[in-house]
């Protein structure tokens, strides 16, 4: 419905006005990691494959899961992810994000992927 993907303009607007950005369902109900789930239409772009490859590369470099890298990228930009989990293992994975620290270069790789 009303869910939108964040773009650079929205992030800059929020920063400029000191507004927090809440990311509802930031892991898209498993769409980043489950083959039986498609990315929602508003998140599919011509560069989606390039973005996913950048995500996989950074996750491998830092020894984290794709989901942890996504959440770390958000948190390091002062985006507040609203997470849910249907299993304890999912919540443990999400909480493990606190140990993931992305470098400036990795942040840039993720932010600029496909741009």
């Amino acid at each position: 419905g009303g869910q939108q993907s964040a773009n650079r303009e929205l992030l800059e607007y929020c920063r400029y006005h000191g507004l927090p950005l809440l990311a509802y369902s930031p892991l898209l109900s498993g769409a980043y990691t489950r083959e039986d789930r498609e990315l929602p239409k508003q998140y599919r772009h011509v560069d989606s494959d390039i973005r996913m490859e950048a995500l996989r590369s950074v996750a491998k470099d830092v020894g984290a899961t794709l989901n942890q890298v996504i959440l770390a990228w958000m948190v390091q930009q002062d985006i507040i992810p609203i997470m849910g989990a249907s299993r304890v293992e999912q919540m443990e994975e999400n909480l493990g994000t606190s140990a993931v620290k992305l470098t400036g270069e990795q942040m840039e790789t993720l932010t600029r992927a496909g741009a």
Side-chain angles (χ1 to χ4, degrees), residues 25-87:
S25 190
L27 302 177
L28 306 176
S29 300
Y32 292 109
T33 58
R34 292 179 51 172
E35 293 195 17
D36 64 326
R37 301 273 169 104
E38 267 192 358
L39 284 175
K41 183 174 67 173
Q42 64 268 36
Y43 294 90
R44 281 183 259 147
H45 306 284
V46 294
D47 59 1
S48 291
D49 290 338
I50 294 168
R51 291 173 183 263
M52 285 299 296
E53 186 52 43
L55 175 61
R56 286 185 196 100
S57 176
V58 170
K60 182 179 178 184
D61 288 348
V62 298
T65 68
L66 299 180
N67 290 337
Q68 288 171 332
V69 171
I70 292 163
L71 296 172
W73 178 82
M74 289 180 179
V75 169
Q76 285 182 231
Q77 293 188 83
D78 297 322
I79 298 170
I80 303 165
I82 300 173
M83 298 174 282
S86 54
R87 296 190 328 264

